[in-house]
Amino acid sequence: MTNPKSLIYFLVSVAAAVIRLASWDSANAQKLPPSVTIGTNPAGSVFYAVGAGLAKVISGAGPMQSMVQPYTGTSTLLPLLDTGELDFAIINAVESNLAYQGPAKLKIGGKNPMPHVPNARLIMRGSPLFIGLVVKKDSPFKSVQDAKGRRVTGEYPANLAIWYHGYAALASGGVAWDDVKVVPVPAVNEGVDAIVQGRAEVSIHAIGAAKVKEADAAVGVRHLPLDCSAQGDARVRKAVPGYSTTTLKSGFSTGILADTCVLTFDIYMLGHKTLSNDVVQAALKAVWDNTDKLPPLHAQFQEWTHDRAASADVTVPYHPAAVQFYKEKNLWNAKMDEAQKKLLAVNP
């Protein structure tokens, strides 16, 4: 028979433990802001879809809510990230490299128009992004070489990364911006609009983007193959370090009507160095514990996996709270320590 005193003692102990846990949770929650913001490219872009998906998962995990905030392009949102006005941002690895290094230390294609963002810190390396040239479905063009002498969207002052996408994509076939008739557009979505309107013959966008699907429904579009030969891939890697080529199978996404060679590079979730450790840890834990909820939100999350999150092959140093998080998950190694030191030395 159970001793009444023992039972009372047990119940009191459990109650005390629950109170302590509740107090700890309350204190921990008080360290977090009510909400954080994730800056992205415009609605209709893959980066917007990625930011919206991450925001949904972070908010669902609580107690910190997350909102996605679209901007015309990364050149607009990066200064806000650097000053801490934005908490997080979805940026690609090449753009992050140009911004973190700054124009004084790094130029690609003879220029670096990105704002210097020395305070950027990597939170998580996400999935690889695929980028392809876009033409109308009935275009006579068969490969990137056919773009020579034709009307190709370019300049992209509000969305500077797209200039580099085009520069690398054309380079795969030995084509330069000087070899095409540039149709100036401000940003990535307007480039696809130019295809729909007939003002341009070739543009560029992320594979699977809502804007590409919209254009396909309007006039029918497809992705024009790049050159995935060893020589073509070498030209891409030389033109823009961080890019490479890969072949997507027919039917992979809208506009992939046959096996098609495209660009690929990593997506980053960035923060800034003054972002609190508690916010970084809360956001990481929310995403880490709910990666299975991401793929249904967008195809880009299929490869947003735990084993890709930490890497030595990155262009921006990790936030210290992210380093600690990955160490606790046994993902951090000596090569990552070495890469981290080199990157931090760029902006001492």
Side-chain angles (χ1 to χ4, degrees), residues 235-271:
R235 286 191 289 265
V236 166
R237 291 172 185 270
K238 181 179 179 181
V240 186
Y243 286 134
S244 60
T245 60
T246 191
T247 298
L248 300 180
K249 293 294 183 181
S250 175
F252 178 87
S253 186
T254 302
I256 304 294
L257 306 184
D259 291 359
T260 304
C261 178
V262 299
L263 291 177
T264 183
F265 56 97
D266 290 329
I267 300 176
Y268 288 169
M269 180 183 182
L270 292 182

Side-chain angles (χ1 to χ4, degrees), residues 167-189:
Y167 179 72
L170 293 172
S172 78
V175 182
W177 280 118
D178 289 342
D179 296 327
V180 304
K181 298 175 183 177
V182 174
V183 177
V185 292
V188 64
N189 285 344

Side-chain angles (χ1 to χ4, degrees), residues 154-233:
E155 295 194 6
Y156 297 101
N159 210 173
L160 298 171
I162 311 304
W163 186 91
Y164 288 98
H165 296 346
Y167 179 72
L170 293 172
S172 78
V175 182
W177 280 118
D178 289 342
D179 296 327
V180 304
K181 298 175 183 177
V182 174
V183 177
V185 292
V188 64
N189 285 344
E190 287 80 359
V192 175
D193 286 337
I195 295 292
V196 173
Q197 297 159 5
R199 294 186 294 111
E201 296 167 282
V202 183
S203 191
I204 194 163
H205 214 302
I207 307 301
K211 190 68 177 179
V212 175
K213 295 177 181 179
E214 176 188 307
D216 187 57
V219 299
V221 296
R222 61 182 171 86
H223 288 288
L224 187 68
L226 309 186
D227 184 350
C228 265
S229 68
Q231 295 81 5
D233 185 70

Side-chain angles (χ1 to χ4, degrees), residues 17-269:
V18 168
I19 291 169
R20 285 196 301 271
L21 182 60
S23 299
W24 183 90
D25 282 344
S26 176
N28 194 52
Q30 287 173 7
K31 296 178 183 178
L32 299 174
S35 65
V36 292
T37 305
I38 303 176
T40 72
N41 282 347
S45 68
V46 167
F47 281 12
Y48 177 85
V50 167
L54 293 174
K56 182 175 183 177
V57 164
I58 292 169
S59 296
M64 180 176 71
Q65 297 299 294
S66 180
M67 302 176 294
V68 62
Q69 176 62 55
Y71 292 87
T72 308
T74 48
S75 54
T76 305
L77 68 87
L78 275 171
L80 301 177
L81 180 73
D82 197 59
T83 60
E85 293 177 64
L86 270 178
D87 302 296
F88 300 105
I90 306 302
I91 314 287
N92 73 65
V94 174
E95 223 172 3
S96 298
N97 191 21
L98 287 161
Y100 180 69
Q101 299 274 347
K105 294 183 179 178
L106 178 64
K107 288 182 172 63
I108 297 176
K111 66 179 185 178
N112 180 353
M114 299 300 293
H116 188 202
V117 185
N119 294 322
R121 292 295 183 269
L122 186 54
I123 306 301
M124 173 179 282
R125 185 181 75 146
S127 56
L129 181 67
F130 304 121
I131 297 288
L133 294 177
V134 181
V135 298
K136 283 187 176 179
K137 190 175 291 185
D138 60 2
S139 167
F141 302 165
K142 303 298 182 186
S143 70
V144 60
Q145 286 85 357
D146 292 330
K148 187 173 287 190
R150 312 306 297 209
R151 289 173 289 128
V152 182
T153 57
E155 295 194 6
Y156 297 101
N159 210 173
L160 298 171
I162 311 304
W163 186 91
Y164 288 98
H165 296 346
Y167 179 72
L170 293 172
S172 78
V175 182
W177 280 118
D178 289 342
D179 296 327
V180 304
K181 298 175 183 177
V182 174
V183 177
V185 292
V188 64
N189 285 344
E190 287 80 359
V192 175
D193 286 337
I195 295 292
V196 173
Q197 297 159 5
R199 294 186 294 111
E201 296 167 282
V202 183
S203 191
I204 194 163
H205 214 302
I207 307 301
K211 190 68 177 179
V212 175
K213 295 177 181 179
E214 176 188 307
D216 187 57
V219 299
V221 296
R222 61 182 171 86
H223 288 288
L224 187 68
L226 309 186
D227 184 350
C228 265
S229 68
Q231 295 81 5
D233 185 70
R235 286 191 289 265
V236 166
R237 291 172 185 270
K238 181 179 179 181
V240 186
Y243 286 134
S244 60
T245 60
T246 191
T247 298
L248 300 180
K249 293 294 183 181
S250 175
F252 178 87
S253 186
T254 302
I256 304 294
L257 306 184
D259 291 359
T260 304
C261 178
V262 299
L263 291 177
T264 183
F265 56 97
D266 290 329
I267 300 176
Y268 288 169
M269 180 183 182

